[in-house]
C-alpha cells in the first residue's frame, strides 16, 4: 500500500469511540467535558460534549455515483459509523446507500479503449449489473473494514412500491447497508429515451421496469409507476429513519452554449424522485427524527478546478479502482466479474474524482446577530426552515422552531435590517403540477419577534421548458432605509437582482452581468456603507460595489484574484471586505482584503494563507476564528494567520460552518451535525480553546 494511502486510512480512522458510565457512545475529542464546562461557570457550555450520532441515507442513480461524487464524505462517514441500523435511539452513525437503477448500460463490461474482461462472453446486461454490484460491495468493504473481500449477507425485501429490493448487509459492520431497487437506467446521459426515470417523471410511460442483476436474490420481475417509485424510496427512508439524506443534484442546469444538461439525466431525475420521497416521508411519518438534506454536484465537477488535495484524491481514486476491478483478480468468485471494467480505463472519470462539491447549502451566512446579545441560526430540516435563537451572552439556545410551509431547499442565508430585524432567505421547490424553484424570504415582524409568512420573489428563469430551475441560493442585503435587495446566480451563470421599492413591492429581476458564475453570490457592507458583492468563476472572482446607499450596483469588475475551489465567504474588515476561499489541488484556506479603489472598483491585496491545511468546502468566519472541514472531513478551527494544522473536533457535519464575532469579542461558530442538531462553539480572547456541544440540550428520558 502506498505511503500516502496508509496515511489517509489512519487519518480517516482517527475518531476513537468510548462508552461512558451512561452507556452513551461518544467521540473522544480531547475537548472539555460537560463537567469541566460547568466548573467554568458558563451555563451556555454546561451541555454534553458533541457526539457523532445519526443515520445517513444516500440515494444515487447508478452504482459508482456515490464513489465519484459523494466521496470522501462517504468514506469519512464509514470510518466513524457504529450502531445498529434502523434502531431508534442507538448511538453512533449508520450508513445506507440506495441505488435506484442497475446501471446496466449496454451490458458490455469493458475498459475504455477495448479489452473486455472476458472476450468470449457476449453483451449481457444482467451480468454487467451484477459485476457493478460486486465492485460496489468490494469498495464499501474496503472503506469500512480495510478488506475488500469482507462478507455481505444478500436478501430480498418487499418495498412499499409493490416490488422488491435487494438488501446487502456487511456482516463485519452490520450498520453498513446497500439497497438495490434495480430499475432500468436511461442508457444514455442526455437522449430523450421514454423508458427511463425521466420518461416516468414526465408521464411518457406508465411504469418503469426492473433490470435484475444475474446474482440477485430478487428473482421476480416488477415495474413501478411514478407514485410507486416515490413510495418505494419513502419506505426505505422509513426503515432507516435518516437524520441526514444525501442525494444528487435535482437541478444541474444546462450548458449555455449547447443547451445540454450539465449532468446525467438519471442523476437529475433520480434526485427529483428523492425530493418527492423525502416530502412524502416527512408528511407521512411523524414519530421520527428530523433530517437534513445534502445534494452533490455531478458531472459539472469535471469543468471546475480540483477541490481535493492530492493525497485525499489518491485514496478516493484507489476505492474507485477497487470498484473498477482494476487488478482483475478474481477475489469475488462471481461468473459476472468482480467490478466495473468501464471505469477501469479511467478511474478518475472525466476529471470528477479529484473533487467534491455540494450543489446547495455551501454558504456560511446562515448564522447572524440580531439585537445586542441575540443570535439566530437557520437550516432546512424536514423540508422546512428551522430557526434557533440565543438570547443574551452567554445565554441559552432554544429551538428548533419550524416555520410553516414545506419545499424549502438547503442553503439558507440572512439579511439584517437597520432596526435589528432579521430576514431569512432561501429557495423553495414545488413538485406539482410542474417542477420549479423560486426565491422566498421571511422577515421578523419586530426585532427579536416572530417571523412573518414566506413571501415569493418568483424566479428569473422565464423560459424553463423542463424546470431545470438551476438558480443559486439567494444572498440579501438591506439598505439603511430598510429596503431589501436579493441576488441570485441564474441558470446562464450571470448575476440577477430584485430590489424592494419604497412602497414595499419589488421591481422586476435585473440583469447585473458576469459570466461563468459558480456557486452562491456573497455580500457584505464595509465601514463606509458600501455594499460589496462577490462571485466566483471557474478562473477568478468577480466583484460588484454599490458606492452609496440608493446608488446602482456597479460591476462586474475583475478582482485579479486567483482560481478558487468555488465556495466563497466574505466578512467586513475596516474600509474593505475580506474574502476567504480555498486553493485548488490543496484545500488550504487563502484570504485577500478587497477595498473600493479608484472609481469604486474592487482592489484586492495580495493573497495570503489564512491558517489550516487541506480539506474542502466553505469556510466559516468569526473575527479571526476560521472554521471548516479538515482533510478528515471533521469540523475544525484555526486562527487567521494561525498554524498550518486545524484544531479538529472529530465531528462530521452537513453543509457549511458559519460564524459570528460578537460585540464583546466572543467568536461563536455553528454547524449542523449529521444528527441534524445544531452544534456550536464559542471562544473568547482569554479562552481560545474550542468546546463543541449541542446548542440545545437533548430532552430528558
Amino acid at each position: 500500500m502506498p505511503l500516502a494511502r496508509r496515511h489517509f486510512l489512519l487519518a480517516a480512522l482517527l475518531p476513537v469511540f468510548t462508552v461512558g458510565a451512561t452507556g452513551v457512545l461518544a467521540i473522544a475529542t480531547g475537548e472539555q467535558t460537560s463537567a469541566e464546562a460547568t466548573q467554568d461557570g458558563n451555563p451556555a457550555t454546561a451541555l454534553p460534549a458533541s457526539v457523532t450520532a445519526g443515520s445517513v441515507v444516500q440515494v444515487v442513480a447508478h452504482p459508482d455515483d456515490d464513489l465519484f461524487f459523494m466521496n470522501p464524505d462517504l468514506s469519512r462517514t464509514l470510518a466513524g459509523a457504529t450502531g445498529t441500523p434502523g434502531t431508534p435511539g442507538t448511538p453512533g452513525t449508520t450508513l445506507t446507500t440506495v441505488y435506484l437503477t442497475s446501471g446496466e448500460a449496454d451490458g458490455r463490461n469493458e475498459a475504455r479503449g477495448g479489452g473486455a474482461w472476458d472476450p468470449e462472453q457476449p453483451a449481457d446486461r444482467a451480468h454487467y449489473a451484477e459485476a457493478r454490484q460486486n465492485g460496489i460491495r468490494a469498495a464499501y468493504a474496503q472503506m469500512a473494514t480495510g478488506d475488500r473481500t469482507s462478507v455481505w449477507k444478500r436478501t430480498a425485501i418487499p418495498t412499499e412500491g409493490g416490488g422488491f429490493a435487494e438488501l446487502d448487509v456487511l456482516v463485519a459492520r452490520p450498520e453498513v447497508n446497500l439497497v438495490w431497487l434495480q430499475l432500468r437506467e436511461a442508457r444514455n446521459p442526455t437522449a430523450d429515451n421514454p423508458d427511463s426515470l425521466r420518461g416516468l417523471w414526465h408521464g411518457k410511460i406508465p411504469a418503469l421496469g426492473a433490470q435484475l442483476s444475474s446474482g440477485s436474490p430478487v428473482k421476480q420481475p416488477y415495474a413501478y409507476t411514478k407514485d410507486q417509485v416515490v413510495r418505494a424510496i419513502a419506505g426505505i427512508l422509513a426503515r432507516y429513519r435518516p437524520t441526514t439524506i444525501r442525494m444528487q443534484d435535482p437541478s444541474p442546469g444546462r450548458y449555455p452554449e449547447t443547451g445540454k444538461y450539465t449532468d446525467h439525466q438519471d442523476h437529475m431525475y433520480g434526485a427529483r424522485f428523492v425530493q418527492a420521497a423525502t416530502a412524502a416521508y416527512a408528511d407521512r411519518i411523524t414519530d421520527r427524527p428530523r433530517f437534513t438534506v445534502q445534494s452533490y454536484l455531478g458531472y459539472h465537477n469535471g469543468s471546475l478546478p480540483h477541490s481535493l488535495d492530492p493525497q485525499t484524491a489518491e485514496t478516493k481514486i484507489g476505492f474507485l479502482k477497487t470498484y473498477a476491478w482494476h487488478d482483475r483478480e478474481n477475489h469475488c468468485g462471481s461468473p459476472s466479474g468482480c467490478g466495473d471494467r468501464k471505469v477501469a480505463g479511467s478511474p478518475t472519470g472525466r476529471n470528477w474524482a479529484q473533487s467534491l462539491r455540494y450543489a446547495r447549502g455551501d454558504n456560511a451566512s446562515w448564522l447572524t446577530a440580531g439585537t445586542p446579545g441575540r443570535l439566530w441560526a437557520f437550516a432546512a430540516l424536514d423540508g422546512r426552515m428551522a430557526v434557533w435563537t440565543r438570547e443574551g451572552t452567554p445565554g441559552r439556545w432554544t429551538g428548533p422552531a419550524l416555520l410553516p410551509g414545506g419545499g424549502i431547499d438547503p442553503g439558507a442565508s440572512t439579511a439584517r435590517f437597520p432596526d435589528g430585524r432579521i430576514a431569512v432567505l432561501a429557495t423553495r421547490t414545488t413538485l406539482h403540477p410542474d417542477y420549479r424553484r423560486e426565491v422566498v424570504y421571511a422577515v421578523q415582524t419586530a426585532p427579536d419577534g416572530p417571523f412573518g409568512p414566506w413571501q415569493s420573489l418568483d424566479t428569473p428563469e422565464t423560459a424553463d421548458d423542463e424546470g431545470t430551475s438551476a438558480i443559486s441560493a439567494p444572498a440579501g442585503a438591506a439598505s439603511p432605509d430598510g429596503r431589501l435587495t436579493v441576488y441570485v446566480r441564474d441558470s446562464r451563470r450571470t448575476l440577477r437582482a430584485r430590489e424592494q421599492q419604497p412602497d414595499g413591492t419589488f421591481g422586476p429581476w435585473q440583469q447585473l452581468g458576469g459570466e461563468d458564475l459558480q456557486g452562491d453570490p456573497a455580500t457584505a457592507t464595509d465601514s463606509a456603507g458600501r455594499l460589496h458583492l462577490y462571485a466566483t468563476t471557474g478562473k477568478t472572482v468577480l466583484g460588484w460595489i454599490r458606492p452609496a446607499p440608493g446608488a446602482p450596483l456597479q460591476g462586474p469588475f475583475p478582482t485579479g484574484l486567483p482560481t478558487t475551489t468555488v465556495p466563497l465567504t466574505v466578512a467586513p474588515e475596516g474600509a474593505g471586505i475580506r474574502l476567504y476561499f480555498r486553493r485548488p489541488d490543496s484545500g488550504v484556506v487563502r484570504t485577500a482584503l478587497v477595498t473600493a479603489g479608484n472609481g469604486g472598483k474592487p482592489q484586492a491585496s495580495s493573497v495570503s494563507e489564512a491558517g489550516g491545511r487541506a480539506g474542502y468546502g466553505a469556510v466559516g468566519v468569526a473575527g479571526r476564528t476560521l472554521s471548516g472541514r479538515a482533510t478528515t472531513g471533521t469540523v475544525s478551527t484555526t486562527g487567521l494567520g494561525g498554524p498550518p494544522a486545524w484544531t479538529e473536533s472529530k465531528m462530521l457535519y452537513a453543509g457549511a460552518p458559519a460564524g459570528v464575532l460578537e460585540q464583546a469579542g466572543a467568536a461563536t461558530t455553528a454547524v449542523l451535525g449529521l444528527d441534524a442538531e445544531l452544534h456550536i462553539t464559542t471562544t473568547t480572547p482569554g479562552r481560545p480553546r474550542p468546546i463543541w456541544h449541542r446548542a440545545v440540550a437533548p430532552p430528558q428520558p
Side-chain angles (χ1 to χ4, degrees):
M1 182 182 295
L3 178 61
R5 191 172 206 185
R6 291 200 302 269
H7 182 273
F8 169 86
L9 289 172
L10 287 171
L13 294 168
L14 274 176
V16 178
F17 298 94
T18 59
V19 180
T22 62
V24 174
L25 193 66
I27 292 180
T29 64
E31 295 176 354
Q32 194 173 36
T33 65
S34 178
E36 291 170 337
T38 304
Q39 292 172 0
D40 285 347
N42 185 348
T45 58
L47 294 170
S50 289
V51 300
T52 294
S55 171
V56 176
V57 174
Q58 307 180 150
V59 189
V60 295
H62 310 119
D64 79 10
D65 290 342
D66 44 349
L67 300 180
F68 273 121
F69 307 119
M70 295 180 175
N71 232 356
D73 278 1
L74 165 58
S75 58
R76 309 306 194 210
T77 308
L78 286 172
T82 61
T84 304
T87 304
T90 298
T93 300
T94 66
L95 186 137
T96 302
T97 300
V98 183
Y99 302 92
L100 299 181
T101 79
S102 289
E104 70 277 6
D106 61 0
R108 297 185 182 276
N109 194 8
E110 58 186 39
R112 270 190 202 130
W117 72 272
D118 183 354
E120 301 300 322
Q121 184 176 359
D124 188 316
R125 289 189 168 96
H127 276 289
Y128 179 47
E130 177 69 12
R132 295 190 75 172
Q133 285 197 19
N134 290 333
I136 285 292
R137 284 187 284 269
Y140 270 72
Q142 184 179 37
M143 287 186 287
T145 70
D147 177 9
R148 67 181 181 181
T149 65
S150 195
V151 176
W152 294 82
K153 180 181 179 182
R154 302 175 65 181
T155 58
I157 60 172
T159 72
E160 291 194 13
F164 296 90
E166 177 179 335
L167 170 62
D168 298 346
V169 178
L170 186 58
V171 174
R173 297 281 301 274
E175 67 276 9
V176 179
N177 289 194
L178 306 176
V179 179
W180 308 86
L181 290 186
Q182 301 190 87
L183 291 171
R184 185 190 191 277
E185 69 148 283
R187 302 178 183 174
N188 187 286
T190 59
D192 192 4
N193 176 11
D195 201 12
S196 63
L197 289 170
R198 177 184 182 181
L200 187 65
W201 181 269
H202 288 294
K204 295 181 179 180
I205 53 172
L208 182 62
Q211 171 60 69
L212 300 180
S213 68
S214 60
S216 178
V218 178
K219 304 301 182 183
Q220 180 179 341
Y222 50 87
Y224 285 145
T225 65
K226 179 178 180 179
D227 181 62
Q228 286 173 324
V229 173
V230 173
R231 282 162 37 201
I233 300 171
I236 294 169
L237 298 178
R239 179 187 183 101
Y240 290 101
R241 299 167 57 88
T243 51
T244 297
I245 297 173
R246 294 173 178 163
M247 58 183 279
Q248 295 178 272
D249 187 359
S251 54
R254 302 175 186 268
Y255 290 109
E257 303 81 10
T258 64
K260 292 183 177 181
Y261 294 137
T262 63
D263 207 354
H264 195 296
Q265 60 176 308
D266 282 348
H267 300 174
M268 172 179 172
Y269 285 95
R272 293 189 180 190
F273 275 105
V274 178
Q275 282 184 304
T278 57
Y281 168 67
D283 289 343
R284 182 168 62 88
I285 307 296
T286 56
D287 181 21
R288 55 164 175 77
R290 292 192 174 99
F291 63 86
T292 185
V293 174
Q294 184 84 70
S295 58
Y296 290 77
L297 203 66
Y299 284 178
H300 190 52
N301 270 317
S303 63
L304 297 173
H306 298 163
S307 67
L308 300 178
D309 65 272
Q311 179 177 299
T312 301
E314 177 193 349
T315 303
K316 176 178 176 177
I317 294 166
F319 297 137
L320 279 157
K321 287 181 177 179
T322 297
Y323 162 75
W325 193 20
H326 201 262
D327 59 9
R328 292 188 167 215
E329 292 183 12
N330 188 19
H331 52 78
C332 68
S334 170
S336 298
C338 298
D340 184 358
R341 291 290 301 164
K342 287 186 186 296
V343 172
S346 179
T348 63
R350 297 186 178 179
N351 205 33
W352 305 325
Q354 299 92 333
S355 295
L356 180 148
R357 287 185 178 86
Y358 306 115
R360 309 197 72 78
D362 207 17
N363 68 72
S365 56
W366 52 272
L367 176 70
T368 190
T371 57
R374 175 82 76 162
L375 295 181
W376 297 88
F378 305 88
L381 294 181
D382 304 353
R384 299 168 64 183
M385 185 60 71
V387 183
W388 295 263
T389 187
R390 191 206 70 189
E391 183 178 3
T393 305
R396 290 190 181 276
W397 287 84
T398 57
L402 299 183
L403 299 185
I408 301 299
D409 300 315
S413 61
T414 60
R416 187 179 186 276
F417 290 89
D419 62 0
R421 288 178 301 135
I422 301 298
V424 56
L425 303 94
T427 59
R428 179 171 62 194
T429 295
T430 303
L431 300 172
H432 306 290
D434 297 311
Y435 188 97
R436 69 189 302 272
R437 177 174 281 146
E438 61 184 343
V439 178
V440 293
Y441 73 100
V443 184
Q444 289 177 317
T445 57
D448 297 340
F451 285 83
W454 287 110
Q455 301 180 62
S456 174
L457 294 178
D458 209 344
T459 174
E461 304 294 341
T462 57
D464 199 7
D465 58 341
E466 286 196 24
T468 52
S469 299
I471 57 176
S472 71
S479 63
D481 61 358
R483 291 187 292 130
L484 181 66
T485 303
V486 178
Y487 305 91
V488 299
R489 169 192 48 79
D490 65 16
S491 65
R492 297 191 65 83
R493 304 200 174 276
T494 68
L495 185 67
R496 306 292 288 272
R498 199 164 182 197
E499 186 173 9
Q500 195 171 26
Q501 306 302 304
D503 64 359
T505 63
F506 279 80
W509 284 102
Q510 305 168 33
Q511 291 269 9
L512 296 181
E515 62 180 15
D516 187 35
L517 302 187
Q518 310 291 332
D520 301 332
T523 63
T525 302
D526 65 23
S527 60
R530 291 180 290 253
L531 175 69
H532 295 239
L533 185 145
Y534 297 95
T536 54
T537 74
K539 296 181 179 179
T540 185
V541 178
L542 297 180
W544 289 257
I545 291 181
R546 174 172 286 174
L553 194 70
Q554 298 178 4
F557 299 112
T559 62
L561 291 172
T563 304
T564 75
T565 61
V566 173
L568 186 68
T569 303
V570 300
E573 183 174 309
I577 301 296
R578 185 165 288 280
L579 277 60
Y580 299 85
F581 44 88
R582 291 188 187 258
R583 179 180 176 179
D585 290 303
S586 163
V588 66
V589 179
R590 311 178 86 183
T591 183
L593 182 67
V594 184
T595 56
N598 295 332
K601 298 180 180 180
Q603 182 174 332
S605 69
S606 59
V607 174
S608 61
E609 293 191 358
R613 183 77 67 185
Y616 51 95
V619 178
V621 179
R624 297 187 64 83
T625 299
L626 309 182
S627 55
R629 278 181 178 81
T631 189
T632 53
T634 59
V635 60
S636 306
T637 56
T638 187
L640 179 59
W646 293 98
T647 300
E648 297 192 34
S649 70
K650 309 298 186 294
M651 182 176 66
L652 302 175
Y653 62 100
V660 169
L661 180 64
E662 303 187 54
Q663 290 183 347
T668 295
T669 301
V671 295
L672 194 67
L674 295 187
D675 55 1
E677 298 287 348
L678 184 69
H679 296 258
I680 63 167
T681 183
T682 298
T683 60
T684 62
R687 192 173 120 188
R689 187 183 183 189
I691 307 166
W692 286 96
H693 57 82
R694 278 180 55 168
V696 180
Q700 296 298 316

